[in-house]
Amino acid sequence: MKELFRLEDKKILITGASAGIGRSIASNCAKVGAKVSVTARNKVRLHETLKLMQQNDDHSMHIADLGDEEDIISLAKDLPELDGIVLNAGIVKTVPVKFIKKDTLEDIFKANIYGSILLVKHLLKLKKVKNNCSICFISSVASNKMTLGNSLYSATKGAVNSFTRSLALELASKQIRVNAILPGMVETDILKDSAISQENLNSHLKNYPIGRFGKPEDIAYLAIYMLSDASAFMTGSLVTIDGGYSIK
Amino acid sequence: MEENFIDLLKEVFEIDEVKFEDTFRDYETWDSLTNISLIAMLDDEYEIIIDTKDFSNIITVRELYEEVIKRKA
């Protein structure tokens, strides 16, 4: 039974692994036996992630900007055949619709959905996605629960949800499973770069029946389940994990 | 710069007149959306993020303008 939830010798790719949820998924996957490839743009911070997983030499890091298709192709070529893929890279941008600029629109769509789609496309084309592979997108409850000023972020995550389900249909015959995790608020550095203030966060906490925001590892444990053989019958699922935020 | 700043605030608050001595939280259109709009505008136009504590001490349009100048310097 215990083995079901382990990732022994599975080769797993994690994007956006230089911080927050991605970093936690990487280090926790390593703990349960996976051979992890991590990717991100920031070399220094990505190296920190790698150091968290230094219990063996099976892990590797790859610097790549998923906004650049050439980077995506060379990343895909560098990678081994994969048993699991976590598409976690993304950014947050709070901007009311009236103030949206085309550049901002392109930046957030590139970061949150284009890069993931193109990476999956090239991995499939290069036959780096093994049959029985599990692909896990990190979406957000923001795809269903709306908050002021976050239309762009919500729109990108809505796109992630639809792509997840469509890809699941396309790959099911190869026993490749595709699911998405929809976290509520998770305390990570991504918040520091947004216009969300501590005051806003404190008042937002009242919307969480369980009485706290998520921790990166809360999300990592669900990702491990989705990557493991324990979830062999799960595909096309959008799984909310939000401390009860969306109950209300 | 001054004129441009005033024009941006007019756009944020959807009002025809903005003066330096105004207390911007007293504008009829001040609410959570214009609050977010103001923060997004400062980030977008001037690449500055003012944290809540500092922001709560800024009362007038002039103080906001001076904060922008100070952070851009």
Side-chain angles (χ1 to χ4, degrees):
Chain A
M1 181 70 190
K2 203 176 161 194
E3 286 72 37
L4 263 181
F5 292 88
R6 288 191 62 84
L7 303 177
E8 217 66 69
D9 295 329
K10 283 186 190 287
K11 296 194 171 78
I12 311 267
L13 167 69
I14 297 152
T15 73
S18 62
I21 293 173
R23 176 178 282 175
S24 180
I25 293 173
S27 62
N28 282 292
C29 280
K31 272 184 203 161
V32 290
K35 296 176 176 173
V36 182
S37 298
V38 289
T39 180
R41 287 173 299 182
N42 189 306
K43 192 176 176 180
V44 175
R45 286 192 289 151
L46 191 58
H47 192 67
E48 290 294 312
T49 300
L50 197 64
K51 279 200 289 190
L52 286 173
M53 318 187 289
Q54 68 187 176
Q55 55 265 58
N56 59 53
D57 297 329
D58 295 331
H59 312 304
S60 63
M61 63 179 263
H62 309 262
I63 305 300
D65 178 0
L66 300 186
D68 179 341
E69 194 171 7
E70 292 303 314
D71 268 25
I72 291 173
I73 293 168
S74 65
L75 168 66
K77 284 180 179 163
D78 283 351
L79 291 165
E81 288 183 20
L82 297 163
D83 301 287
I85 303 168
V86 181
L87 297 143
N88 162 74
I91 56 172
V92 172
K93 183 86 185 169
T94 301
V95 52
V97 174
K98 202 174 71 172
F99 292 94
I100 292 171
K101 290 184 175 166
K102 191 159 176 263
D103 284 352
T104 315
L105 178 63
E106 284 176 352
D107 287 350
I108 192 166
F109 269 86
K110 265 188 190 170
N112 290 7
I113 181 78
Y114 285 23
S116 297
I117 292 176
L118 287 172
L119 179 55
V120 169
K121 173 230 151 100
H122 286 293
L123 288 170
L124 286 168
K125 220 173 163 188
L126 291 164
K127 303 195 186 314
K128 296 294 178 80
V129 186
K130 281 192 202 167
N131 290 353
N132 298 312
C133 179
S134 170
I135 301 176
C136 172
F137 282 84
I138 304 300
S139 179
S140 169
V141 285
S143 55
N144 298 313
K145 286 275 282 184
M146 300 306 151
T147 47
L148 275 177
N150 289 317
S151 60
L152 285 183
Y153 184 71
S154 291
T156 61
K157 295 302 189 181
V160 168
N161 294 354
S162 300
F163 186 75
T164 296
R165 289 165 54 77
S166 190
L167 186 66
L169 183 63
E170 210 167 298
L171 300 180
S173 63
K174 293 179 176 170
Q175 300 293 310
I176 296 170
R177 303 179 296 104
V178 189
N179 298 287
I181 297 177
L182 281 61
M185 186 72 79
V186 175
E187 294 187 71
T188 71
D189 289 346
I190 204 171
L191 297 173
K192 285 185 193 155
D193 301 327
S194 74
I196 305 164
S197 66
Q198 194 57 47
E199 202 175 62
N200 294 147
L201 281 179
N202 291 343
S203 84
H204 189 52
L205 188 58
K206 295 190 190 86
N207 300 319
Y208 282 70
I210 214 106
R212 65 171 176 88
F213 293 136
K215 297 175 192 159
E217 57 266 34
D218 291 321
I219 312 308
Y221 302 147
L222 178 54
I224 288 170
Y225 167 72
M226 281 186 178
L227 293 166
S228 75
D229 296 336
S231 62
F233 194 54
M234 176 188 265
T235 194
S237 292
L238 309 176
V239 182
T240 298
I241 174 164
D242 66 354
Y245 171 53
S246 55
I247 297 168
K248 297 209 273 187
Chain B
M1 169 87 182
E2 279 191 19
E3 206 175 312
N4 186 39
F5 183 74
I6 294 289
D7 285 343
L8 289 167
L9 287 195
K10 284 181 192 169
E11 204 188 333
V12 166
F13 291 109
E14 297 182 329
I15 51 178
D16 295 330
E17 193 179 37
V18 167
K19 296 197 294 281
F20 274 109
E21 58 271 28
D22 292 348
T23 302
F24 55 84
R25 289 184 189 80
D26 289 344
Y27 290 144
E28 233 173 68
T29 54
W30 172 262
D31 61 14
S32 50
L33 184 61
T34 47
N35 186 355
I36 289 169
S37 299
L38 180 58
I39 289 163
M41 182 276 279
L42 295 172
D43 183 11
D44 212 36
E45 296 288 334
Y46 302 103
E47 291 172 349
I48 61 170
I49 295 172
I50 303 178
D51 69 42
T52 329
K53 206 174 146 213
D54 289 343
F55 187 67
S56 63
N57 292 326
I58 298 170
I59 308 299
T60 65
V61 171
R62 182 172 303 285
E63 286 167 4
L64 186 62
Y65 179 69
E66 282 166 0
E67 189 68 26
V68 170
I69 298 290
K70 194 174 89 186
R71 287 176 190 240
K72 285 303 284 179

